[in-house]
Amino acid sequence: EAQATALIELNDLDDALRVVRRGLQIDGSNAQLEKLMRQVKVRKAAEKKRLSSTEVTSSASSGSSTKPRTADEAQAKEIMDLQEQFISTNREYNVVNANISKAQREQKMADLTMGELSKIEDSTKMYRGIGKMFMLSSHKDCINHLQTSIESERTLEKDLTQKKDYLEKRIKSQQINIQELTGTLRRKQ
């Protein structure tokens, strides 16, 4: 962050953009880096506008009529990009929530089945469902299979919960970034 800020102050926008992108690859949810990214993009757009406006004035005699891109347009584009990212992250968050619910259901079903199997004698013939068929299995094999299933569902639920926490942080960060950008855009108008 400090390096990128220093490069921005030195008006070395290309290197600053490179440093910020590298930082976002390491920590994609860093709000400060995302803010620096927007600042660099806005400054680059303003620099482009300034350069294109000097080109327009120099080529005005030759009849060229290129319209320069304003900083407000760059900010509006950045807001649109952030909103798209927000929608995508929100969609991913909903999928993770659904998968967590599914893992919890599967775990509960396996727990209930395990409880019922513990009531049955070890010598009883058992059939385990595999796809569309049933396979003869020993009591011990059925118990082991259910225990493995329960453990894998717990692991999956734990992983999905961590991903959900990450996505919640990312959503909050994106909301703050959108609010900041829309606030600065309104103040300019």
Side-chain angles (χ1 to χ4, degrees), residues 28-143:
S29 64
N30 188 319
Q32 186 64 30
L33 287 175
E34 290 175 354
K35 189 174 183 180
L36 286 173
M37 176 72 88
R38 285 194 313 274
Q39 287 177 356
V40 169
K41 286 183 177 179
V42 167
R43 283 192 180 197
K44 281 187 79 151
E47 183 73 17
K48 256 187 185 177
K49 177 187 173 192
R50 187 183 62 77
L51 289 175
S52 66
S53 67
T54 57
E55 290 174 9
V56 168
T57 56
S58 66
S59 64
S61 59
S62 65
S64 175
S65 63
T66 58
K67 183 180 178 184
R69 191 171 173 194
T70 65
D72 289 342
E73 290 173 345
Q75 248 185 341
K77 184 180 182 316
E78 184 69 24
I79 290 171
M80 293 297 289
D81 290 342
L82 280 173
Q83 286 175 335
E84 287 175 16
Q85 289 174 2
F86 175 77
I87 290 168
S88 173
T89 304
N90 208 15
R91 189 175 301 126
E92 189 176 352
Y93 176 80
N94 290 335
V95 168
V96 167
N97 265 342
N99 287 338
I100 288 173
S101 296
K102 179 183 175 200
Q104 289 170 341
R105 274 192 314 273
E106 293 290 329
Q107 186 178 339
K108 188 174 182 177
M109 285 184 353
D111 281 335
L112 290 171
T113 305
M114 181 76 87
E116 291 299 315
L117 286 180
S118 65
K119 298 175 187 176
I120 298 174
E121 293 179 19
D122 290 347
S123 61
T124 306
K125 286 186 179 181
M126 303 195 141
Y127 294 90
R128 186 171 51 135
I130 301 177
K132 292 184 177 183
M133 69 174 224
F134 293 95
M135 186 173 84
L136 181 64
S137 297
S138 68
H139 185 268
K140 184 179 177 182
D141 287 344
C142 287
I143 296 288

